[in-house]
Amino acid sequence: MKQKVKGEETLLKIENFIEKQEPIKANDKTYEKIIFIYSVAIKELLTKLEILKDEFKIFYDYDIIDHIQTRIKKPESIIKKMQDKGYELTYQMMIENINDIAGIRVICPLKKDIFSVRNLVEKLPGIRLLKEKDYVTNPKKSGYSSYHLIVEVPVTLSQRIIYVKVEIQIRTMAMDFWASLEHKMKYKAKGTITKKTSKELIEYAKIITKLDNKMMLLNKEV
Ligand code: 0O2
């Protein structure tokens, strides 16, 4: 199991910083401090991923990553997710259970690049891989396809190093096109899209999978 050396802590363990049962209040000082630490974790990881992207371009003349997006989950989305999962609305429960407060999305040209990026992330010094879900090999019922990693990133502050969870979603440009539109549609329809629309979306996800496979073969031929 993961061993922490002296001077390292997880975000949860910080005494006098987050009181165990303190309720979440978006925009209070505790919230601001926690989100600051998540945003530093994103910066640290983004830099490492951008270096990988540029290294492949310059050394191997290969675009392994097309682009990278980052986001911090909005307080209302955090609270909704916690309510949906039945968690008590405390900072402790938030940090312990919501793994995608800090999110990085890596968009790759080809499907095979997803697995290469996953392997490169696993080898990044200092980064600890906690959990992974391969929705590329096994897409979700909705048709959703992406590779998810939950990693811990060391955030170096003046007095200590804190390990912070970040979710990395790795997908192709085609998968990203589908997922972004599907997410918007579902959000706009407030989760009440018709069976017909759902079926169509699943059908289009299958087309995207075929397209990704064909593009990979074509690229190999070229
Ligand atoms: P948003 O707005 O993107 O933040 P975990 O607790 O980590 O084990 P979790 O987070 O409950 O698991 O579920 P999972 O399957 O890992 O998915 C988390 C995120 O994947 C979602 O975050 C979406 O970003 C994306 N996702 C999962 N399923 C779908 C889907 O069917 N369609 C689309 N478009 N995206 C999906 P949020 O919090 O739902 O949303």
Side-chain angles (χ1 to χ4, degrees):
M1 275 307 282
K2 301 170 284 125
Q3 290 291 316
K4 291 196 169 56
V5 298
K6 204 162 173 267
E8 292 181 355
E9 310 171 85
T10 61
L11 190 48
L12 198 63
K13 297 266 161 58
I14 307 166
E15 306 293 333
N16 307 323
F17 171 49
I18 303 160
E19 283 184 30
K20 280 217 175 294
Q21 297 310 325
E22 193 176 339
I24 301 170
K25 279 192 223 101
N27 305 324
D28 74 358
K29 199 67 193 169
T30 307
Y31 195 88
E32 192 188 342
K33 286 180 192 168
I34 294 171
I35 294 302
F36 163 71
I37 295 171
Y38 278 109
S39 68
V40 178
I42 285 188
K43 266 192 208 167
E44 298 263 8
L45 192 53
L46 177 63
T47 303
K48 291 185 195 299
L49 291 167
E50 278 174 342
I51 292 170
L52 281 181
K53 178 179 184 293
D54 296 346
E55 182 201 340
F56 270 77
K57 181 78 190 155
I58 291 163
F59 281 71
Y60 313 112
D61 196 20
Y62 186 77
D63 289 304
I64 192 168
I65 294 173
D66 183 78
H67 64 282
I68 306 168
Q69 298 166 338
T70 66
R71 69 110 180 80
I72 294 280
K73 208 172 181 72
K74 291 196 189 105
E76 57 270 26
S77 303
I78 296 175
I79 287 169
K80 185 177 179 306
K81 194 162 188 169
M82 291 181 73
Q83 283 168 337
D84 290 348
K85 295 196 174 206
Y87 297 128
E88 207 185 334
L89 298 179
T90 61
Y91 286 119
Q92 184 183 4
M93 293 304 275
M94 175 179 109
I95 292 164
E96 224 166 40
N97 298 296
I98 305 302
N99 294 329
D100 64 343
I101 294 172
I104 295 196
R105 195 168 282 158
V106 180
I107 317 295
C108 302
L110 299 173
K111 194 165 149 183
K112 70 179 175 75
D113 302 326
I114 296 176
F115 299 100
S116 306
V117 170
R118 179 247 168 249
N119 293 338
L120 289 164
V121 168
E122 192 185 23
K123 289 194 194 113
L124 285 175
I127 305 295
R128 293 168 174 160
L129 178 55
L130 295 185
K131 192 171 159 183
E132 58 189 314
K133 290 187 194 166
D134 181 359
Y135 297 130
V136 175
T137 312
N138 301 300
K140 289 183 85 166
K141 266 191 193 159
S142 61
Y144 177 77
S145 179
S146 263
Y147 205 105
H148 290 193
L149 299 173
I150 307 295
V151 296
E152 265 187 340
V153 178
V155 168
T156 308
L157 300 180
S158 58
Q159 306 295 322
R160 58 199 160 201
I161 296 171
I162 304 169
Y163 273 82
V164 183
K165 281 190 269 183
V166 178
E167 184 191 66
I168 309 175
Q169 296 183 348
I170 318 169
R171 54 174 76 149
T172 63
M173 293 191 266
M175 289 171 195
D176 189 51
F177 161 75
W178 182 94
S180 304
L181 285 177
E182 188 252 15
H183 194 279
K184 264 185 213 150
M185 277 183 219
K186 285 194 173 159
Y187 181 78
K188 276 192 185 151
K190 296 193 168 61
T192 58
I193 56 165
T194 62
K195 269 197 178 153
K196 183 178 166 286
T197 310
S198 269
K199 260 184 146 180
E200 274 193 66
L201 282 166
I202 295 169
E203 192 50 41
Y204 300 157
K206 285 182 185 155
I207 296 172
I208 296 276
T209 304
K210 266 192 201 154
L211 181 70
D212 267 331
N213 289 337
K214 280 181 189 263
M215 288 304 280
M216 210 160 53
L217 289 176
L218 195 65
N219 186 69
K220 211 173 171 185
E221 274 175 37
V222 172

